[in-house]
Amino acid sequence: MKNHIDTTEILKVYRENPKKGFELIYQNYSGPVFRYLRNSFNLSREEAEDILQNVFLPWVKEPEKLFAVENLSAYLFTSARNAALKLKNSGRIVEMTVEPSRGSHDENVEAGLIIDRALNELPVEQKEAVVLKVWINMTFEEIAGLQQCSLQTVASRYRYALAKLKELIPWQK
Amino acid sequence: MAKIEKDQFEEYLEQHAPDEEPSSQLFDRLQKEAVWNQPTADTGPAIYIILLAVIIIALVVVAGIFAPVEADKPAEKPVIQPVIKNEPVHIIADAKSVFKEKGAYQLMKNRSDDFNLSFSADKNCSSLFDMSRELNSSDI
């Protein structure tokens, strides 16, 4: 993630003081992982929160088992992704109409809803590439690691997704 | 030109990024489960259970030491005696003619003519004290 979070420092704090370290981890990653789940896999708030809870639960219950984690972002997003795909493959997810994933304070709620609808027209991998690249600020390398595919594949998915979204979203008006 | 349009579209998407956050209850639920928030008193019963288990194991071990050892002995293997084939005995004498009749009576009779247990020769049928004797075959 191209942000200013020093994950090495966070993990160091977590190893020395799990309580304080977990607060930092939750503060920096709960939102992005939650939004990733909601927008990439079309999950309801409850489903996304359930997965998020399962992702973070080991970090509060058995800290010593997670001291060896080196790539915090990859670990959290991979855990969330695996859980979401498992839930999706189990058939328990009811395909829902677009549930607003933006707060009511958004200046342009309507535009947000149009984007959400357009995203739902894309295949999961393409939608995931857009969400991770544009909204989570992941690099193509990080997305490739998460999706377990090559850089070229991720770049192609992203390019196709943007082209399709441009057709669906009246963004220049 | 196309590249600029693409960047602008990405910026447009970024401007409309979702800002959703998980509910605050989620953090509270996680904190409740956290190992650092578990009361230390909970470890009390666990210690007693472990101690009890150790005592039971020690008793089992001690009982095992004083248990009769026979139970642990392996079953003895049956000893198979070698089969000895007796060779047929070489007959060097046949006593059939001498010991045709059984008993000491016949033996005495055959060995000595002087010795006769038969009461038939005792004509007087009297004892040393001149008492008459009754013959009874069952006395013989």
Side-chain angles (χ1 to χ4, degrees):
Chain A
M1 286 167 70
K2 291 185 290 183
N3 49 26
H4 300 293
I5 303 168
D6 188 349
T7 54
T8 310
E9 186 62 28
I10 289 177
L11 285 172
K12 189 181 171 189
V13 172
Y14 180 73
R15 288 184 196 111
E16 290 168 358
N17 184 344
K19 185 183 178 183
K20 192 178 174 185
F22 173 72
E23 285 174 6
L24 286 172
I25 292 169
Y26 190 87
Q27 186 184 334
N28 284 289
Y29 285 95
S30 63
V33 174
F34 182 70
R35 289 190 286 275
Y36 162 66
L37 289 168
R38 286 272 284 143
N39 293 286
S40 295
F41 301 100
N42 206 20
L43 301 180
S44 68
R45 275 192 67 89
E46 290 73 24
E47 287 167 339
E49 281 198 1
D50 283 347
I51 290 177
L52 200 61
Q53 182 170 343
N54 289 332
V55 166
F56 282 117
L57 210 53
W59 291 83
V60 296
K61 291 192 89 169
E62 297 170 313
E64 65 281 352
K65 287 188 177 177
L66 294 156
F67 286 167
V69 172
E70 290 179 354
N71 190 334
L72 183 58
S73 173
Y75 189 91
L76 293 173
F77 277 94
T78 302
S79 304
R81 185 176 195 265
N82 291 340
L85 290 175
K86 192 177 174 185
L87 181 67
K88 213 167 174 60
N89 291 334
S90 72
R92 278 180 287 169
I93 292 177
V94 179
E95 287 299 329
M96 53 187 183
T97 54
V98 177
E99 186 182 335
S101 61
R102 291 163 176 80
S104 57
H105 60 275
D106 196 323
E107 293 176 358
N108 198 346
V109 178
E110 185 63 29
L113 288 173
I114 291 170
I115 292 172
D116 287 344
R117 286 197 195 97
L119 275 173
N120 285 329
E121 297 292 319
L122 301 176
V124 174
E125 289 82 7
Q126 289 184 19
K127 186 163 49 172
E128 199 180 8
V130 171
V131 170
L132 291 170
K133 182 79 173 71
V134 179
W135 290 337
I136 311 291
N137 291 326
M138 272 194 183
T139 63
F140 280 142
E141 287 86 355
E142 289 170 325
I143 298 169
L146 191 62
Q147 292 188 334
Q148 295 183 327
C149 62
S150 67
L151 267 176
Q152 288 78 9
T153 305
V154 174
S156 296
R157 284 174 179 167
Y158 182 70
R159 199 165 53 245
Y160 285 128
L162 283 187
K164 180 78 175 173
L165 289 175
K166 273 183 189 175
E167 290 175 11
L168 296 170
I169 300 169
W171 66 280
Q172 284 174 321
K173 291 176 184 175
Chain B
M1 188 65 184
K3 192 175 186 298
I4 293 168
E5 279 181 6
K6 191 179 175 181
D7 286 343
Q8 285 176 345
F9 183 65
E10 282 178 319
E11 283 175 11
Y12 174 81
L13 291 177
E14 281 175 9
Q15 284 167 8
H16 295 89
D19 55 0
E20 250 190 332
E21 293 289 336
S23 64
S24 58
Q25 286 91 345
L26 177 60
F27 184 74
D28 296 339
R29 287 203 297 271
L30 287 166
Q31 285 293 339
K32 273 184 188 173
E33 296 286 333
V35 68
W36 49 81
N37 284 332
Q38 300 303 316
T40 51
D42 283 358
T43 57
I47 288 171
Y48 290 128
I49 290 168
I50 291 168
L51 277 174
L52 186 64
V54 168
I55 290 167
I56 290 169
I57 290 167
L59 286 173
V60 169
V61 169
V62 170
I65 289 168
F66 291 105
V69 189
E70 288 173 5
D72 297 333
K73 275 188 177 178
E76 287 183 5
K77 288 182 180 177
V79 180
I80 300 168
Q81 296 291 344
V83 178
I84 301 169
K85 284 186 178 178
N86 289 326
E87 290 182 2
V89 180
H90 180 66
I91 300 170
I92 53 172
D94 190 358
K96 277 180 185 174
S97 57
V98 179
F99 301 104
K100 225 168 196 175
E101 295 180 57
K102 293 177 182 177
Y105 174 77
Q106 281 299 333
L107 183 66
M108 297 296 182
K109 184 183 174 185
N110 291 328
R111 289 283 170 90
S112 170
D113 292 333
D114 298 331
F115 186 77
N116 190 357
L117 289 177
S118 172
F119 287 106
S120 58
D122 190 3
K123 292 179 181 174
N124 295 329
C125 292
S126 58
S127 65
L128 289 174
F129 305 104
D130 291 328
M131 294 178 71
S132 60
R133 181 187 288 176
E134 290 182 3
L135 290 175
N136 190 344
S137 60
S138 63
D139 291 339
I140 297 171

